[in-house]
Amino acid sequence: MIKVKNLHKKFGGLTVLNGIDEHISQGEVVVIIGPSGSGKSTFLRCLNLLEDVTEGEIYVDNELINTPKVNINVVRQKMGMVFQQFNLFPHLTIMDNITLAPVLLKKMSKAEAVKRGQELLERVNLAEKADAYPAQLSGGQKQRVAIARALAMNPEIMLFDEPTSALDPEMVGEVLDVMKDLARSGMTMVIVTHEMGFAREVASRVLFIDQGVVMESGTPQEVFSNPKNDRTKLFLSKVL
Amino acid sequence: MTGISVWFADFSDLFYKCFIKDDRYRLLVSGVGVTIKVSLLAVLIGILIGILVAVSNLSRNKLFKAIGSIYTDVIRGTPSVTQLMVIYFVFFASVNLNKWIIAAIAFGVNSGAYVSEIIRGGILSVDHGQTEAGRSLGLNAFQTMTRIVIPQAVKNIFPALCNEFIVLIKETAIVGYVGLMDIQKAGDFIKSATYEPGMPLFGTAVIYYVLIKILTLTLRQVENHLRKSDAR
């Protein structure tokens, strides 16, 4: 589904990603862990080209996407993204946040989009908030709306960039529950997180990224219980 | 007679002499019309130029950027009276257009420089995460700008833009330099005709004050409406 070949990313003279090769298949839930500054968020943001790629190739559904020939807007329509800071549109109601893109991009009529929006809000347990504005919601509620907004485009893949890092501790659970539910439904997901318990429970595969390369990759069992790489061991000893 | 009634008798005499006699109030009324016409058209032109220049300044095109910054620089570095007179007597000297339209263009060109800075600041004040969220959903740059960034920028820009509008109305008090009879010029005219400086000038001041008060209160209503999505 996503194939990454020899991905490099430099910010000026600073090399953040230093040759990543990765293949993410349909239905996989890939959780990316690693110390801060390791490049894990940058890797995720390269997947939908929110960051320009310095070198290397990214294929989505066997189509090379980091080339001017491709209309990236169309590719992004099948890749939902959830941000650490939620990034809800504060000037729009919750329902309008969800329906803006599907209607504007002509994926659905307004009526269909509202119906789908209502279903999605029920799915994230926020059906009664359709007419509220983002400022009236708690952090956990905002993030659940952000997930619903991304799902409204019926994406094939969902990218999560530290979705619980900006939340108060008591709100982390409600967001992780929605994500677990999504994983069980068979959605392909790539998740950057510091929630090791969640990674262990939900991931089909865990990637440990450090210094811009994938240091270790395997099932949660393999990576958490039996890490082979010394850096992985060191990192896990600090966070577990 | 007591002091107050003397003052009042004087006042009503003066008031009669300056505003009622020979229908002089008509000058002021038509002056209000001129001031409003010039200001409204100038504001529209100013916003239009402001948007264009702000977008040029934010674009990656070096030529657009250069034009934008020279324009802003020149307008901010010269007095508006000079700009008005240059535009009226030089650029539009041989153009057959209504005086008030030429004046409005001059004030619009002046205002555009300030408005462009206000708009640029407003667009930059919207968190970059908003743009990323829009783009990640598949919206193109233009859709993201018009549906997500600008609606939020407008809310940030609005108070400064209102202020610019008010400044502009007061700036138009110099249109007498190119022979238009606005509020200020009408007051001036009455002053010369009656040899009474105080009453016509106070009258002028009161008219401007009331105009701007009405505008301020109206714009505040609009602003409150814009803020309805903020935390309550």
Side-chain angles (χ1 to χ4, degrees), chain A residues 45 73 76 79 83 87-91 101 104-105 133 135-136 149 153, chain B residues 129-130 132-133 135-140 143 147-148 151-152 229 231-232:
Chain A
R45 291 162 55 83
N73 301 318
R76 283 178 181 147
M79 306 174 84
F83 300 87
N87 295 343
L88 292 185
F89 307 133
H91 60 301
L104 193 59
L105 300 172
Y133 283 94
Q136 297 165 302
R149 178 177 70 179
M153 289 296 290
Chain B
Q130 293 290 312
E132 291 193 338
R135 297 306 305 273
S136 80
L137 288 164
L139 272 56
N140 63 32
Q143 290 164 331
R147 304 301 291 262
I148 294 168
Q152 294 181 57
S229 64
R232 275 167 279 191

PDB file of all heavy atoms in Angstrom, chain A residues 45 73 76 79 83 87-91 101 104-105 133 135-136 149 153, chain B residues 129-130 132-133 135-140 143 147-148 151-152 229 231-232:
ATOM      1  N   ARG A  45       5.213  12.571   8.184  1.00  0.00           N
ATOM      2  CA  ARG A  45       4.787  13.731   7.398  1.00  0.00           C
ATOM      3  C   ARG A  45       5.292  13.665   5.958  1.00  0.00           C
ATOM      4  O   ARG A  45       4.729  14.319   5.073  1.00  0.00           O
ATOM      5  CB  ARG A  45       5.261  15.026   8.071  1.00  0.00           C
ATOM      6  CG  ARG A  45       4.532  15.306   9.392  1.00  0.00           C
ATOM      7  CD  ARG A  45       5.278  16.309  10.243  1.00  0.00           C
ATOM      8  NE  ARG A  45       5.528  17.544   9.523  1.00  0.00           N
ATOM      9  CZ  ARG A  45       4.637  18.534   9.413  1.00  0.00           C
ATOM     10  NH1 ARG A  45       3.477  18.445  10.001  1.00  0.00           N
ATOM     11  NH2 ARG A  45       4.930  19.610   8.725  1.00  0.00           N
ATOM     12  N   ASN A  73      -2.873  16.477  -4.255  1.00  0.00           N
ATOM     13  CA  ASN A  73      -4.161  16.673  -3.574  1.00  0.00           C
ATOM     14  C   ASN A  73      -5.048  15.443  -3.696  1.00  0.00           C
ATOM     15  O   ASN A  73      -5.782  15.101  -2.777  1.00  0.00           O
ATOM     16  CB  ASN A  73      -4.869  17.899  -4.147  1.00  0.00           C
ATOM     17  CG  ASN A  73      -4.027  19.158  -3.979  1.00  0.00           C
ATOM     18  OD1 ASN A  73      -3.430  19.371  -2.930  1.00  0.00           O
ATOM     19  ND2 ASN A  73      -3.941  19.964  -5.019  1.00  0.00           N
ATOM     20  N   ARG A  76      -3.632  12.746  -1.383  1.00  0.00           N
ATOM     21  CA  ARG A  76      -3.928  13.029   0.029  1.00  0.00           C
ATOM     22  C   ARG A  76      -5.371  12.704   0.393  1.00  0.00           C
ATOM     23  O   ARG A  76      -5.685  12.478   1.560  1.00  0.00           O
ATOM     24  CB  ARG A  76      -3.649  14.500   0.343  1.00  0.00           C
ATOM     25  CG  ARG A  76      -2.168  14.795   0.485  1.00  0.00           C
ATOM     26  CD  ARG A  76      -1.938  16.262   0.739  1.00  0.00           C
ATOM     27  NE  ARG A  76      -0.526  16.586   0.849  1.00  0.00           N
ATOM     28  CZ  ARG A  76       0.003  17.735   0.451  1.00  0.00           C
ATOM     29  NH1 ARG A  76      -0.774  18.653  -0.110  1.00  0.00           N
ATOM     30  NH2 ARG A  76       1.284  17.957   0.584  1.00  0.00           N
ATOM     31  N   MET A  79      -5.474   9.550   2.132  1.00  0.00           N
ATOM     32  CA  MET A  79      -4.636   9.429   3.326  1.00  0.00           C
ATOM     33  C   MET A  79      -5.098  10.426   4.378  1.00  0.00           C
ATOM     34  O   MET A  79      -4.791  11.614   4.294  1.00  0.00           O
ATOM     35  CB  MET A  79      -3.173   9.704   2.971  1.00  0.00           C
ATOM     36  CG  MET A  79      -2.655   8.854   1.829  1.00  0.00           C
ATOM     37  SD  MET A  79      -0.990   9.325   1.323  1.00  0.00           S
ATOM     38  CE  MET A  79      -0.027   8.404   2.504  1.00  0.00           C
ATOM     39  N   PHE A  83      -3.400  15.222  13.731  1.00  0.00           N
ATOM     40  CA  PHE A  83      -2.243  15.966  14.224  1.00  0.00           C
ATOM     41  C   PHE A  83      -2.199  16.012  15.752  1.00  0.00           C
ATOM     42  O   PHE A  83      -3.227  15.916  16.415  1.00  0.00           O
ATOM     43  CB  PHE A  83      -2.287  17.409  13.705  1.00  0.00           C
ATOM     44  CG  PHE A  83      -2.268  17.526  12.213  1.00  0.00           C
ATOM     45  CD1 PHE A  83      -3.445  17.471  11.482  1.00  0.00           C
ATOM     46  CD2 PHE A  83      -1.078  17.696  11.528  1.00  0.00           C
ATOM     47  CE1 PHE A  83      -3.429  17.582  10.099  1.00  0.00           C
ATOM     48  CE2 PHE A  83      -1.053  17.811  10.157  1.00  0.00           C
ATOM     49  CZ  PHE A  83      -2.228  17.745   9.437  1.00  0.00           C
ATOM     50  N   ASN A  87      -5.694  20.706  15.198  1.00  0.00           N
ATOM     51  CA  ASN A  87      -5.886  21.546  14.009  1.00  0.00           C
ATOM     52  C   ASN A  87      -7.306  21.511  13.470  1.00  0.00           C
ATOM     53  O   ASN A  87      -7.523  21.480  12.259  1.00  0.00           O
ATOM     54  CB  ASN A  87      -4.899  21.162  12.899  1.00  0.00           C
ATOM     55  CG  ASN A  87      -3.464  21.431  13.298  1.00  0.00           C
ATOM     56  OD1 ASN A  87      -3.213  22.170  14.242  1.00  0.00           O
ATOM     57  ND2 ASN A  87      -2.524  20.826  12.602  1.00  0.00           N
ATOM     58  N   LEU A  88      -8.278  21.526  14.372  1.00  0.00           N
ATOM     59  CA  LEU A  88      -9.656  21.708  13.913  1.00  0.00           C
ATOM     60  C   LEU A  88      -9.794  23.132  13.393  1.00  0.00           C
ATOM     61  O   LEU A  88      -9.041  24.019  13.789  1.00  0.00           O
ATOM     62  CB  LEU A  88     -10.637  21.474  15.061  1.00  0.00           C
ATOM     63  CG  LEU A  88     -10.736  20.043  15.583  1.00  0.00           C
ATOM     64  CD1 LEU A  88     -11.835  19.953  16.640  1.00  0.00           C
ATOM     65  CD2 LEU A  88     -11.014  19.052  14.460  1.00  0.00           C
ATOM     66  N   PHE A  89     -10.776  23.344  12.520  1.00  0.00           N
ATOM     67  CA  PHE A  89     -10.990  24.687  11.980  1.00  0.00           C
ATOM     68  C   PHE A  89     -11.887  25.457  12.946  1.00  0.00           C
ATOM     69  O   PHE A  89     -13.081  25.178  13.036  1.00  0.00           O
ATOM     70  CB  PHE A  89     -11.620  24.602  10.586  1.00  0.00           C
ATOM     71  CG  PHE A  89     -10.839  23.716   9.643  1.00  0.00           C
ATOM     72  CD1 PHE A  89     -11.475  22.760   8.867  1.00  0.00           C
ATOM     73  CD2 PHE A  89      -9.455  23.828   9.545  1.00  0.00           C
ATOM     74  CE1 PHE A  89     -10.759  21.944   8.009  1.00  0.00           C
ATOM     75  CE2 PHE A  89      -8.731  23.016   8.687  1.00  0.00           C
ATOM     76  CZ  PHE A  89      -9.390  22.075   7.917  1.00  0.00           C
ATOM     77  N   PRO A  90     -11.326  26.438  13.675  1.00  0.00           N
ATOM     78  CA  PRO A  90     -12.073  27.046  14.778  1.00  0.00           C
ATOM     79  C   PRO A  90     -13.271  27.880  14.330  1.00  0.00           C
ATOM     80  O   PRO A  90     -14.165  28.135  15.116  1.00  0.00           O
ATOM     81  CB  PRO A  90     -11.031  27.937  15.467  1.00  0.00           C
ATOM     82  CG  PRO A  90      -9.978  28.170  14.446  1.00  0.00           C
ATOM     83  CD  PRO A  90      -9.953  26.962  13.570  1.00  0.00           C
ATOM     84  N   HIS A  91     -13.286  28.282  13.050  1.00  0.00           N
ATOM     85  CA  HIS A  91     -14.379  29.142  12.590  1.00  0.00           C
ATOM     86  C   HIS A  91     -15.573  28.331  12.095  1.00  0.00           C
ATOM     87  O   HIS A  91     -16.575  28.904  11.686  1.00  0.00           O
ATOM     88  CB  HIS A  91     -13.882  30.071  11.484  1.00  0.00           C
ATOM     89  CG  HIS A  91     -13.363  29.342  10.269  1.00  0.00           C
ATOM     90  ND1 HIS A  91     -12.311  28.451  10.338  1.00  0.00           N
ATOM     91  CD2 HIS A  91     -13.752  29.364   8.974  1.00  0.00           C
ATOM     92  CE1 HIS A  91     -12.073  27.967   9.120  1.00  0.00           C
ATOM     93  NE2 HIS A  91     -12.941  28.510   8.281  1.00  0.00           N
ATOM     94  N   ALA A 101     -14.373  19.174   3.571  1.00  0.00           N
ATOM     95  CA  ALA A 101     -13.571  18.575   2.502  1.00  0.00           C
ATOM     96  C   ALA A 101     -14.397  17.664   1.584  1.00  0.00           C
ATOM     97  O   ALA A 101     -14.318  17.812   0.358  1.00  0.00           O
ATOM     98  CB  ALA A 101     -12.374  17.840   3.088  1.00  0.00           C
ATOM     99  N   LEU A 104     -16.551  20.026  -0.624  1.00  0.00           N
ATOM    100  CA  LEU A 104     -15.751  20.905  -1.488  1.00  0.00           C
ATOM    101  C   LEU A 104     -15.061  20.099  -2.590  1.00  0.00           C
ATOM    102  O   LEU A 104     -14.933  20.558  -3.721  1.00  0.00           O
ATOM    103  CB  LEU A 104     -14.710  21.630  -0.632  1.00  0.00           C
ATOM    104  CG  LEU A 104     -13.966  22.806  -1.249  1.00  0.00           C
ATOM    105  CD1 LEU A 104     -14.945  23.877  -1.692  1.00  0.00           C
ATOM    106  CD2 LEU A 104     -12.975  23.382  -0.252  1.00  0.00           C
ATOM    107  N   LEU A 105     -14.618  18.898  -2.242  1.00  0.00           N
ATOM    108  CA  LEU A 105     -13.902  18.083  -3.223  1.00  0.00           C
ATOM    109  C   LEU A 105     -14.847  17.170  -3.989  1.00  0.00           C
ATOM    110  O   LEU A 105     -14.424  16.252  -4.685  1.00  0.00           O
ATOM    111  CB  LEU A 105     -12.807  17.279  -2.518  1.00  0.00           C
ATOM    112  CG  LEU A 105     -11.775  18.167  -1.803  1.00  0.00           C
ATOM    113  CD1 LEU A 105     -10.830  17.349  -0.954  1.00  0.00           C
ATOM    114  CD2 LEU A 105     -10.992  19.000  -2.804  1.00  0.00           C
ATOM    115  N   TYR A 133     -18.865  24.567  18.444  1.00  0.00           N
ATOM    116  CA  TYR A 133     -17.620  25.017  17.816  1.00  0.00           C
ATOM    117  C   TYR A 133     -16.438  24.371  18.550  1.00  0.00           C
ATOM    118  O   TYR A 133     -16.548  24.038  19.729  1.00  0.00           O
ATOM    119  CB  TYR A 133     -17.512  26.542  17.877  1.00  0.00           C
ATOM    120  CG  TYR A 133     -18.371  27.242  16.854  1.00  0.00           C
ATOM    121  CD1 TYR A 133     -19.649  27.683  17.168  1.00  0.00           C
ATOM    122  CD2 TYR A 133     -17.904  27.424  15.552  1.00  0.00           C
ATOM    123  CE1 TYR A 133     -20.452  28.306  16.214  1.00  0.00           C
ATOM    124  CE2 TYR A 133     -18.685  28.044  14.601  1.00  0.00           C
ATOM    125  CZ  TYR A 133     -19.963  28.481  14.928  1.00  0.00           C
ATOM    126  OH  TYR A 133     -20.726  29.100  13.984  1.00  0.00           O
ATOM    127  N   ALA A 135     -13.885  25.447  20.008  1.00  0.00           N
ATOM    128  CA  ALA A 135     -13.460  26.055  21.275  1.00  0.00           C
ATOM    129  C   ALA A 135     -14.292  25.573  22.460  1.00  0.00           C
ATOM    130  O   ALA A 135     -13.908  25.734  23.612  1.00  0.00           O
ATOM    131  CB  ALA A 135     -13.540  27.580  21.167  1.00  0.00           C
ATOM    132  N   GLN A 136     -15.458  24.986  22.187  1.00  0.00           N
ATOM    133  CA  GLN A 136     -16.328  24.533  23.278  1.00  0.00           C
ATOM    134  C   GLN A 136     -16.025  23.094  23.695  1.00  0.00           C
ATOM    135  O   GLN A 136     -16.692  22.554  24.567  1.00  0.00           O
ATOM    136  CB  GLN A 136     -17.796  24.646  22.837  1.00  0.00           C
ATOM    137  CG  GLN A 136     -18.216  26.076  22.550  1.00  0.00           C
ATOM    138  CD  GLN A 136     -19.517  26.144  21.785  1.00  0.00           C
ATOM    139  OE1 GLN A 136     -19.656  25.594  20.702  1.00  0.00           O
ATOM    140  NE2 GLN A 136     -20.504  26.800  22.375  1.00  0.00           N
ATOM    141  N   ARG A 149     -13.138  13.806  11.218  1.00  0.00           N
ATOM    142  CA  ARG A 149     -12.951  14.660  10.040  1.00  0.00           C
ATOM    143  C   ARG A 149     -12.098  13.954   8.988  1.00  0.00           C
ATOM    144  O   ARG A 149     -12.412  13.998   7.794  1.00  0.00           O
ATOM    145  CB  ARG A 149     -12.281  15.973  10.467  1.00  0.00           C
ATOM    146  CG  ARG A 149     -12.007  16.912   9.308  1.00  0.00           C
ATOM    147  CD  ARG A 149     -11.411  18.211   9.750  1.00  0.00           C
ATOM    148  NE  ARG A 149     -10.033  18.055  10.232  1.00  0.00           N
ATOM    149  CZ  ARG A 149      -9.271  19.056  10.662  1.00  0.00           C
ATOM    150  NH1 ARG A 149      -9.756  20.279  10.697  1.00  0.00           N
ATOM    151  NH2 ARG A 149      -8.045  18.836  11.077  1.00  0.00           N
ATOM    152  N   MET A 153     -13.421  11.534   4.596  1.00  0.00           N
ATOM    153  CA  MET A 153     -12.986  11.426   3.204  1.00  0.00           C
ATOM    154  C   MET A 153     -12.864   9.960   2.775  1.00  0.00           C
ATOM    155  O   MET A 153     -12.379   9.661   1.681  1.00  0.00           O
ATOM    156  CB  MET A 153     -11.630  12.123   3.018  1.00  0.00           C
ATOM    157  CG  MET A 153     -11.693  13.641   3.101  1.00  0.00           C
ATOM    158  SD  MET A 153     -12.663  14.376   1.783  1.00  0.00           S
ATOM    159  CE  MET A 153     -11.602  14.089   0.374  1.00  0.00           C
TER     160      MET A 153
ATOM    161  N   GLY B 129      -0.612  25.096  11.283  1.00  0.00           N
ATOM    162  CA  GLY B 129      -1.322  23.817  11.396  1.00  0.00           C
ATOM    163  C   GLY B 129      -2.659  23.818  10.666  1.00  0.00           C
ATOM    164  O   GLY B 129      -3.118  22.782  10.178  1.00  0.00           O
ATOM    165  N   GLN B 130      -3.288  24.982  10.570  1.00  0.00           N
ATOM    166  CA  GLN B 130      -4.553  25.090   9.849  1.00  0.00           C
ATOM    167  C   GLN B 130      -4.350  24.791   8.365  1.00  0.00           C
ATOM    168  O   GLN B 130      -5.145  24.087   7.747  1.00  0.00           O
ATOM    169  CB  GLN B 130      -5.130  26.504  10.024  1.00  0.00           C
ATOM    170  CG  GLN B 130      -5.563  26.789  11.440  1.00  0.00           C
ATOM    171  CD  GLN B 130      -6.789  25.987  11.808  1.00  0.00           C
ATOM    172  OE1 GLN B 130      -7.763  25.944  11.078  1.00  0.00           O
ATOM    173  NE2 GLN B 130      -6.736  25.308  12.939  1.00  0.00           N
ATOM    174  N   GLU B 132      -1.866  23.047   7.137  1.00  0.00           N
ATOM    175  CA  GLU B 132      -1.512  21.631   7.011  1.00  0.00           C
ATOM    176  C   GLU B 132      -2.749  20.746   7.085  1.00  0.00           C
ATOM    177  O   GLU B 132      -2.875  19.780   6.335  1.00  0.00           O
ATOM    178  CB  GLU B 132      -0.526  21.244   8.117  1.00  0.00           C
ATOM    179  CG  GLU B 132       0.830  21.876   7.929  1.00  0.00           C
ATOM    180  CD  GLU B 132       1.889  21.246   8.821  1.00  0.00           C
ATOM    181  OE1 GLU B 132       1.516  20.651   9.844  1.00  0.00           O
ATOM    182  OE2 GLU B 132       3.077  21.354   8.480  1.00  0.00           O
ATOM    183  N   ALA B 133      -3.660  21.090   8.001  1.00  0.00           N
ATOM    184  CA  ALA B 133      -4.878  20.284   8.127  1.00  0.00           C
ATOM    185  C   ALA B 133      -5.680  20.334   6.828  1.00  0.00           C
ATOM    186  O   ALA B 133      -6.162  19.309   6.337  1.00  0.00           O
ATOM    187  CB  ALA B 133      -5.720  20.778   9.298  1.00  0.00           C
ATOM    188  N   ARG B 135      -4.573  21.029   3.753  1.00  0.00           N
ATOM    189  CA  ARG B 135      -3.869  20.342   2.684  1.00  0.00           C
ATOM    190  C   ARG B 135      -3.916  18.828   2.881  1.00  0.00           C
ATOM    191  O   ARG B 135      -4.008  18.069   1.923  1.00  0.00           O
ATOM    192  CB  ARG B 135      -2.407  20.808   2.586  1.00  0.00           C
ATOM    193  CG  ARG B 135      -2.217  22.280   2.239  1.00  0.00           C
ATOM    194  CD  ARG B 135      -2.929  22.743   0.994  1.00  0.00           C
ATOM    195  NE  ARG B 135      -2.614  21.972  -0.200  1.00  0.00           N
ATOM    196  CZ  ARG B 135      -1.592  22.207  -1.021  1.00  0.00           C
ATOM    197  NH1 ARG B 135      -0.797  23.214  -0.784  1.00  0.00           N
ATOM    198  NH2 ARG B 135      -1.395  21.447  -2.089  1.00  0.00           N
ATOM    199  N   SER B 136      -3.863  18.378   4.157  1.00  0.00           N
ATOM    200  CA  SER B 136      -3.855  16.931   4.397  1.00  0.00           C
ATOM    201  C   SER B 136      -5.192  16.294   4.007  1.00  0.00           C
ATOM    202  O   SER B 136      -5.254  15.104   3.731  1.00  0.00           O
ATOM    203  CB  SER B 136      -3.539  16.631   5.873  1.00  0.00           C
ATOM    204  OG  SER B 136      -4.693  16.808   6.668  1.00  0.00           O
ATOM    205  N   LEU B 137      -6.253  17.099   3.977  1.00  0.00           N
ATOM    206  CA  LEU B 137      -7.549  16.556   3.554  1.00  0.00           C
ATOM    207  C   LEU B 137      -7.677  16.497   2.039  1.00  0.00           C
ATOM    208  O   LEU B 137      -8.649  15.973   1.512  1.00  0.00           O
ATOM    209  CB  LEU B 137      -8.681  17.418   4.120  1.00  0.00           C
ATOM    210  CG  LEU B 137      -8.926  17.286   5.626  1.00  0.00           C
ATOM    211  CD1 LEU B 137      -9.781  18.434   6.132  1.00  0.00           C
ATOM    212  CD2 LEU B 137      -9.590  15.954   5.952  1.00  0.00           C
ATOM    213  N   GLY B 138      -6.710  17.086   1.341  1.00  0.00           N
ATOM    214  CA  GLY B 138      -6.735  17.048  -0.116  1.00  0.00           C
ATOM    215  C   GLY B 138      -7.146  18.360  -0.753  1.00  0.00           C
ATOM    216  O   GLY B 138      -7.269  18.458  -1.971  1.00  0.00           O
ATOM    217  N   LEU B 139      -7.381  19.394   0.074  1.00  0.00           N
ATOM    218  CA  LEU B 139      -7.703  20.704  -0.496  1.00  0.00           C
ATOM    219  C   LEU B 139      -6.444  21.269  -1.156  1.00  0.00           C
ATOM    220  O   LEU B 139      -5.336  21.053  -0.659  1.00  0.00           O
ATOM    221  CB  LEU B 139      -8.155  21.665   0.617  1.00  0.00           C
ATOM    222  CG  LEU B 139      -9.641  21.695   0.992  1.00  0.00           C
ATOM    223  CD1 LEU B 139     -10.138  20.326   1.390  1.00  0.00           C
ATOM    224  CD2 LEU B 139      -9.882  22.667   2.126  1.00  0.00           C
ATOM    225  N   ASN B 140      -6.608  21.997  -2.255  1.00  0.00           N
ATOM    226  CA  ASN B 140      -5.433  22.619  -2.857  1.00  0.00           C
ATOM    227  C   ASN B 140      -5.114  23.926  -2.125  1.00  0.00           C
ATOM    228  O   ASN B 140      -5.847  24.340  -1.222  1.00  0.00           O
ATOM    229  CB  ASN B 140      -5.622  22.825  -4.375  1.00  0.00           C
ATOM    230  CG  ASN B 140      -6.755  23.779  -4.699  1.00  0.00           C
ATOM    231  OD1 ASN B 140      -7.021  24.704  -3.948  1.00  0.00           O
ATOM    232  ND2 ASN B 140      -7.429  23.553  -5.811  1.00  0.00           N
ATOM    233  N   GLN B 143      -7.957  26.575  -2.247  1.00  0.00           N
ATOM    234  CA  GLN B 143      -9.112  26.221  -1.408  1.00  0.00           C
ATOM    235  C   GLN B 143      -8.783  26.377   0.075  1.00  0.00           C
ATOM    236  O   GLN B 143      -9.603  26.857   0.859  1.00  0.00           O
ATOM    237  CB  GLN B 143      -9.536  24.769  -1.681  1.00  0.00           C
ATOM    238  CG  GLN B 143     -10.163  24.564  -3.051  1.00  0.00           C
ATOM    239  CD  GLN B 143     -10.223  23.095  -3.446  1.00  0.00           C
ATOM    240  OE1 GLN B 143      -9.392  22.288  -3.027  1.00  0.00           O
ATOM    241  NE2 GLN B 143     -11.206  22.744  -4.261  1.00  0.00           N
ATOM    242  N   ARG B 147     -10.997  28.965   2.117  1.00  0.00           N
ATOM    243  CA  ARG B 147     -11.994  28.366   3.004  1.00  0.00           C
ATOM    244  C   ARG B 147     -11.533  28.275   4.445  1.00  0.00           C
ATOM    245  O   ARG B 147     -12.362  28.182   5.353  1.00  0.00           O
ATOM    246  CB  ARG B 147     -12.370  26.957   2.512  1.00  0.00           C
ATOM    247  CG  ARG B 147     -12.860  26.931   1.072  1.00  0.00           C
ATOM    248  CD  ARG B 147     -14.090  27.812   0.902  1.00  0.00           C
ATOM    249  NE  ARG B 147     -15.243  27.264   1.582  1.00  0.00           N
ATOM    250  CZ  ARG B 147     -16.184  26.549   0.980  1.00  0.00           C
ATOM    251  NH1 ARG B 147     -16.133  26.319  -0.302  1.00  0.00           N
ATOM    252  NH2 ARG B 147     -17.204  26.088   1.672  1.00  0.00           N
ATOM    253  N   ILE B 148     -10.224  28.244   4.659  1.00  0.00           N
ATOM    254  CA  ILE B 148      -9.730  27.993   6.019  1.00  0.00           C
ATOM    255  C   ILE B 148      -8.938  29.181   6.563  1.00  0.00           C
ATOM    256  O   ILE B 148      -9.232  29.685   7.637  1.00  0.00           O
ATOM    257  CB  ILE B 148      -8.882  26.707   6.046  1.00  0.00           C
ATOM    258  CG1 ILE B 148      -9.800  25.520   5.729  1.00  0.00           C
ATOM    259  CG2 ILE B 148      -8.235  26.519   7.414  1.00  0.00           C
ATOM    260  CD1 ILE B 148      -9.076  24.244   5.438  1.00  0.00           C
ATOM    261  N   PRO B 151     -10.934  33.115   6.170  1.00  0.00           N
ATOM    262  CA  PRO B 151     -12.026  33.360   7.125  1.00  0.00           C
ATOM    263  C   PRO B 151     -11.531  33.594   8.551  1.00  0.00           C
ATOM    264  O   PRO B 151     -12.114  34.380   9.295  1.00  0.00           O
ATOM    265  CB  PRO B 151     -12.860  32.079   7.054  1.00  0.00           C
ATOM    266  CG  PRO B 151     -12.586  31.520   5.709  1.00  0.00           C
ATOM    267  CD  PRO B 151     -11.157  31.870   5.405  1.00  0.00           C
ATOM    268  N   GLN B 152     -10.444  32.919   8.925  1.00  0.00           N
ATOM    269  CA  GLN B 152      -9.900  33.143  10.269  1.00  0.00           C
ATOM    270  C   GLN B 152      -9.110  34.438  10.332  1.00  0.00           C
ATOM    271  O   GLN B 152      -9.140  35.147  11.334  1.00  0.00           O
ATOM    272  CB  GLN B 152      -8.992  31.977  10.672  1.00  0.00           C
ATOM    273  CG  GLN B 152      -9.751  30.687  10.829  1.00  0.00           C
ATOM    274  CD  GLN B 152      -8.828  29.552  11.245  1.00  0.00           C
ATOM    275  OE1 GLN B 152      -8.157  29.637  12.263  1.00  0.00           O
ATOM    276  NE2 GLN B 152      -8.792  28.503  10.447  1.00  0.00           N
ATOM    277  N   SER B 229     -17.896  32.238  17.018  1.00  0.00           N
ATOM    278  CA  SER B 229     -17.336  30.890  17.137  1.00  0.00           C
ATOM    279  C   SER B 229     -16.264  30.798  18.226  1.00  0.00           C
ATOM    280  O   SER B 229     -15.731  29.735  18.486  1.00  0.00           O
ATOM    281  CB  SER B 229     -16.753  30.442  15.801  1.00  0.00           C
ATOM    282  OG  SER B 229     -15.681  31.266  15.445  1.00  0.00           O
ATOM    283  N   ALA B 231     -14.662  30.907  22.126  1.00  0.00           N
ATOM    284  CA  ALA B 231     -15.077  30.271  23.381  1.00  0.00           C
ATOM    285  C   ALA B 231     -16.084  31.154  24.113  1.00  0.00           C
ATOM    286  O   ALA B 231     -15.942  32.370  24.149  1.00  0.00           O
ATOM    287  CB  ALA B 231     -13.869  30.031  24.255  1.00  0.00           C
ATOM    288  N   ARG B 232     -17.116  30.546  24.632  1.00  0.00           N
ATOM    289  CA  ARG B 232     -18.083  31.329  25.387  1.00  0.00           C
ATOM    290  C   ARG B 232     -18.071  30.919  26.838  1.00  0.00           C
ATOM    291  O   ARG B 232     -17.581  29.868  27.175  1.00  0.00           O
ATOM    292  CB  ARG B 232     -19.480  31.108  24.810  1.00  0.00           C
ATOM    293  CG  ARG B 232     -19.737  32.052  23.643  1.00  0.00           C
ATOM    294  CD  ARG B 232     -20.951  31.652  22.855  1.00  0.00           C
ATOM    295  NE  ARG B 232     -20.618  30.582  21.937  1.00  0.00           N
ATOM    296  CZ  ARG B 232     -21.424  30.174  20.972  1.00  0.00           C
ATOM    297  NH1 ARG B 232     -22.590  30.723  20.815  1.00  0.00           N
ATOM    298  NH2 ARG B 232     -21.067  29.205  20.164  1.00  0.00           N
TER     299      ARG B 232
END
